[in-house]
Amino acid sequence: MVMWNFPCKRKIGTASTTLLILTSVFVLLYHNLGISRQGTTRSSSADTNLRAADAIQDDSDARVTKEWRDDAVINEAAVENIHTEKDIENRVLNAHGGTNGFNPQCKMKKSIAFMKVHKAGSHTTACILQRFGYEQGLNFVLPKKCPSVNLGFPEGMTNKILMKQNVDEYNILVHHTVYDRVKFHKLMAPDTQFIAILREPLSHLKSCFFYFRRDRRFALLTEKNPLGKYLDNPWLYEGSKKAKKKPASMTKNLQSYVLGWKERFNQDREEVRKFISQLDSDFPLILILEYFDASLVLLRRLMCWSFYNILYDRQPRNEQTYSKPLSMYTEQQLQNHRNISWVDYQLYDHFNRSLWSKIQAAWPDFQDELEAFQQLNHNVNSYCAGKPKKMKTFPGSKWNGPVEIKPEFCEDLKKERLQWDNKICHRAHAYGKDKMLANEARFQKYKENKENTVTTATKAKGTQRKSDQILNDLKKRFPGVDLIAVMTKSGIPVSKVVTAIKQGQYTVDGAAQRLKTLIQNTKQ
């Protein structure tokens, strides 16, 4: 499950050390605060509750190494605090609690294209953007087969895939596709901000490998550690004739592919450098899943939004659980992955550094702003968890005015991507109201069945554990005896005895004494 620890701040130096800090802060952040050059995450610093990796989607994945994803400490003393009381008084508020909180002249941007990278927290991010676009009455780029998650993946977007809409320009793009700068810049409104989200490559591989059933595809289901077996020689699986025929691999440089690197077997350093440089130019912000909340605060500033616009449901989306035991990986296996997905590692390392450069360049109280947003998001989630009937106003901060939350908003906060697609497609006249309601009913039934299945499986596991404990207690009463074999030979149903004890008809000692008598009588 996601760990939600409130941040502790660390202040370093004074104004006299500012120059030294500015030149060294990046090195400290990069080497000591969570991201190593090898791309693995270390928890050397405790900090804020930024959204953990796909739990959002799968931090509870029992088949992979548990990795705690704590935000690196944001050093507040890197730049002197130059706020004045007049600065604070000049902050402008809107109906949901303010604009960007720093520049009263900052005008809200409404057009945004989001490159939805699989298994990188993109579901949660997409829901934030879908809610914003729907509330603002914006035009979405939609697939012809609406609702559908696919807008041209893995082949790329074409006119045949797009739903024809009678609109002047498009403002929001949130579906799975492949970035094509020429097509997308022609398609979207002129002021569109392009963003994406990335995830640490090894963590991303773990999630993709099991979510897309690569253990089955690669005939590794019987392996104790399927992913470890894959990492022993990933080229064996990625370089096969069958794999090469597919336009994309879900386990090799997938993040780069979504962002337009279609030559997944090409790792030419100069071409990769140019590719990343072009993305740097096209994308004013690329979110990092391991620092999700900080990324959202930067997004808020980029778009001149309020905290209200980036609130999100903290319940995991597409959460994964597995029956395989925890697996560890050798340094050689990790190196193999760095080699075969080298482009993804270069991409992640670059934009992870870019994110921290933006944080460093932000106002000196960025950490406090981050905490204020996290506290508000926590409070709103707690309010919504109680199934409220009345509106509640949450107090503001110097970054955001008071925020009014109605019970109806809680329903929107909890909506999943498909539910938003359904509403958005209906509004775009993709089909009639009756079909929208039918789809919503099917989705709710699907969720109920899924929840019932999980509940039933959990209860079954609990029941089995209790039965196993009772049987073990019985066996202890017959040391040196194969109790199951004796009971079977004697015609005494094991399940019937265990059930009788569970129902309170007998104690374990009472059942053992009765069994002893029955077994003796059977022998006679």
Side-chain angles (χ1 to χ4, degrees):
M1 297 296 294
V2 181
M3 302 298 292
W4 301 101
N5 301 317
F6 285 98
C8 58
K9 294 179 289 182
R10 182 189 306 165
K11 295 187 178 182
I12 59 174
T14 62
S16 63
T17 65
T18 298
L19 181 59
L20 175 61
I21 292 169
L22 287 173
T23 57
S24 62
V25 66
F26 166 71
V27 176
L28 289 172
L29 288 170
Y30 186 66
H31 289 287
N32 298 326
L33 299 179
I35 305 298
S36 69
R37 290 190 183 276
Q38 286 74 27
T40 56
T41 303
R42 294 179 288 147
S43 55
S44 58
S45 64
D47 191 22
T48 100
N49 64 1
L50 300 193
R51 189 71 160 181
D54 248 20
I56 294 187
Q57 293 181 319
D58 66 356
D59 227 10
S60 60
D61 181 352
R63 295 202 285 186
V64 299
T65 305
K66 183 179 284 188
E67 298 175 352
W68 301 120
R69 309 200 170 281
D70 298 325
D71 259 325
V73 173
I74 298 166
N75 298 282
E76 295 178 294
V79 183
E80 289 188 74
N81 191 332
I82 60 172
H83 281 318
T84 65
E85 290 185 7
K86 189 173 182 180
D87 291 328
I88 297 173
E89 291 173 356
N90 283 337
R91 305 188 193 286
V92 178
L93 306 180
N94 64 19
H96 292 301
T99 59
N100 71 344
F102 287 94
N103 183 0
Q105 281 71 47
C106 188
K107 184 179 179 181
M108 175 186 280
K109 301 180 183 72
K110 295 186 177 182
S111 296
I112 189 166
F114 174 53
M115 294 301 104
K116 197 171 186 290
V117 175
H118 306 73
K119 308 308 296 173
S122 60
H123 189 146
T124 297
T125 311
C127 288
I128 294 172
L129 302 180
Q130 286 174 307
R131 186 181 77 238
F132 174 81
Y134 190 84
E135 288 180 346
Q136 297 289 330
L138 303 177
N139 299 323
F140 284 77
V141 179
L142 297 171
K144 185 181 293 185
K145 295 181 179 179
C146 196
S148 168
V149 68
N150 197 337
L151 194 61
F153 183 90
E155 294 81 6
M157 189 175 66
T158 63
N159 290 333
K160 292 181 179 180
I161 294 172
L162 292 177
M163 177 200 295
K164 293 181 180 180
Q165 302 180 59
N166 186 23
V167 300
D168 295 328
E169 59 184 21
Y170 292 103
N171 310 106
I172 306 283
L173 187 154
V174 293
H175 289 69
H176 281 303
T177 186
V178 178
Y179 179 60
D180 183 318
R181 67 185 309 270
V182 175
K183 286 182 181 179
F184 283 28
H185 282 77
K186 286 182 178 179
L187 184 68
M188 303 302 295
D191 61 342
T192 297
Q193 304 298 309
F194 285 79
I195 68 167
I197 189 167
L198 297 176
R199 181 178 184 177
E200 189 277 313
L202 179 63
S203 174
H204 185 248
L205 170 69
K206 293 172 184 176
S207 185
C208 288
F209 188 84
F210 295 113
Y211 184 83
F212 294 113
R213 305 304 303 272
R214 298 300 100 166
D215 49 350
R216 181 185 298 275
R217 176 70 62 86
F218 297 146
L220 297 173
L221 276 174
T222 58
E223 294 288 337
K224 185 177 180 181
N225 180 3
L227 182 55
K229 185 67 175 179
Y230 164 86
L231 288 173
D232 282 338
N233 185 5
W235 297 273
L236 177 66
Y237 306 96
E238 301 295 345
S240 67
K241 290 182 180 180
K242 186 176 180 180
K244 286 182 177 180
K245 288 180 180 179
K246 296 186 177 297
S249 167
M250 306 311 289
T251 46
K252 171 182 166 62
N253 289 327
L254 175 60
Q255 300 185 85
S256 305
Y257 182 87
V258 172
L259 292 182
W261 186 257
K262 295 185 179 181
E263 306 260 345
R264 69 178 187 274
F265 294 100
N266 179 7
Q267 298 193 159
D268 181 89
R269 291 179 180 272
E270 181 58 22
E271 290 188 37
V272 172
R273 186 194 65 77
K274 290 179 180 178
F275 164 68
I276 293 176
S277 178
Q278 184 63 63
L279 292 177
D280 231 346
S281 175
D282 293 350
F283 288 72
L285 177 65
I286 288 187
L287 288 67
I288 298 296
L289 179 60
E290 286 74 23
Y291 310 105
F292 189 67
D293 284 356
S295 298
L296 287 181
V297 171
L298 290 175
L299 175 65
R300 181 185 86 87
R301 292 185 173 207
L302 171 69
M303 302 298 291
C304 295
W305 289 356
S306 70
F307 282 166
Y308 168 84
N309 300 126
I310 58 172
L311 293 171
Y312 64 89
D313 181 16
R314 301 196 310 175
Q315 288 299 313
R317 304 293 173 92
N318 290 342
E319 186 177 17
Q320 300 179 73
T321 55
Y322 304 102
S323 58
K324 291 279 186 178
L326 187 72
S327 299
M328 302 298 291
Y329 307 96
T330 67
E331 180 56 36
Q332 184 58 56
Q333 289 172 335
L334 299 181
Q335 186 60 51
N336 288 345
H337 184 240
R338 288 192 287 270
N339 289 339
I340 198 165
S341 283
W342 184 79
V343 183
D344 267 10
Y345 275 96
Q346 297 303 304
L347 186 74
Y348 179 84
D349 288 347
H350 175 86
F351 284 106
N352 180 59
R353 291 194 299 268
S354 176
L355 181 84
W356 284 103
S357 294
K358 288 178 171 62
I359 290 174
Q360 179 187 341
W363 290 81
D365 49 1
F366 185 90
Q367 177 76 30
D368 292 329
E369 181 184 356
L370 174 61
E371 290 177 33
F373 163 64
Q374 290 175 323
Q375 185 63 59
L376 175 63
N377 198 43
H378 170 79
N379 292 343
V380 170
N381 272 263
S382 298
Y383 162 78
C384 289
K387 298 181 179 180
K389 303 294 183 182
K390 297 180 180 180
M391 182 185 74
K392 183 172 182 178
T393 300
F394 294 88
S397 65
K398 66 179 181 179
W399 301 277
N400 207 77
V403 178
E404 294 180 350
I405 299 296
K406 298 179 180 179
E408 295 79 9
F409 173 82
C410 294
E411 297 178 10
D412 287 345
L413 189 71
K414 295 174 183 178
K415 278 186 173 64
E416 297 188 26
R417 178 202 58 78
L418 186 59
Q419 291 174 292
W420 278 117
D421 281 348
N422 196 29
K423 286 175 68 70
I424 292 164
C425 291
H426 170 245
R427 194 173 66 183
H429 306 293
Y431 42 71
K433 183 177 179 181
D434 291 342
K435 190 170 183 180
M436 182 193 77
L437 295 175
N439 279 353
E440 178 66 17
R442 279 197 294 270
F443 182 81
Q444 291 298 340
K445 187 174 182 180
Y446 161 77
K447 284 192 69 176
E448 290 173 6
N449 290 340
K450 187 176 179 181
E451 290 169 0
N452 291 338
T453 300
V454 172
T455 302
T456 302
T458 302
K459 287 182 179 179
K461 287 181 181 178
T463 302
Q464 187 59 46
R465 281 195 295 268
K466 188 173 181 180
S467 298
D468 292 344
Q469 183 61 49
I470 291 173
L471 198 54
N472 288 333
D473 288 344
L474 276 175
K475 289 178 180 179
K476 291 177 182 178
R477 270 65 173 181
F478 296 86
V481 177
D482 187 346
L483 182 62
I484 303 300
V486 173
M487 291 175 69
T488 302
K489 187 176 180 180
S490 304
I492 302 171
V494 177
S495 60
K496 189 173 182 179
V497 174
V498 171
T499 300
I501 295 173
K502 286 167 66 175
Q503 292 176 349
Q505 298 177 26
Y506 300 97
T507 63
V508 174
D509 287 330
Q513 186 59 45
R514 185 171 175 80
L515 275 174
K516 186 176 181 181
T517 302
L518 288 172
I519 292 171
Q520 288 176 345
N521 291 338
T522 302
K523 288 181 178 179
Q524 293 175 1

